[in-house]
Amino acid sequence: MKFDIDLTTAQAAERLRQEAERLKITPEELARAAVADLLSEGDQDFKVAAERVLEKYSELYRRLA
């Protein structure tokens, strides 16, 4: 999937360029990595919540099985 992103300020675009340069990657690669990281955090939050629920109700689930 491909997206076009318009940064609202020249300062934001410059900051993205500077950080990408520091990391020796393109701004596009940095943006892609940032979005991927953001999306994976949601998965981790869900996983932690699901594990907490499963642990909390494990005895109930065992009895129902």
Side-chain angles (χ1 to χ4, degrees):
M1 186 178 296
K2 186 174 180 170
F3 290 96
D4 289 325
I5 300 172
D6 292 322
L7 296 176
T8 56
T9 67
Q11 183 179 18
E14 180 60 20
R15 178 76 175 105
L16 177 66
R17 188 196 62 72
Q18 288 174 349
E19 190 62 21
E21 188 175 291
R22 183 183 73 77
L23 296 169
K24 296 179 178 17
I25 60 175
T26 67
E28 292 82 2
E29 290 170 320
L30 178 55
R32 187 178 309 115
V35 169
D37 187 51
L38 178 65
L39 294 175
S40 71
E41 283 182 20
D43 290 342
Q44 184 61 29
D45 291 343
F46 175 79
K47 184 177 179 181
V48 168
E51 288 173 356
R52 187 176 67 238
V53 169
L54 289 173
E55 182 179 323
K56 182 176 180 178
Y57 295 107
S58 64
E59 179 63 21
L60 173 64
Y61 297 147
R62 187 188 63 74
R63 288 180 186 179
L64 291 172

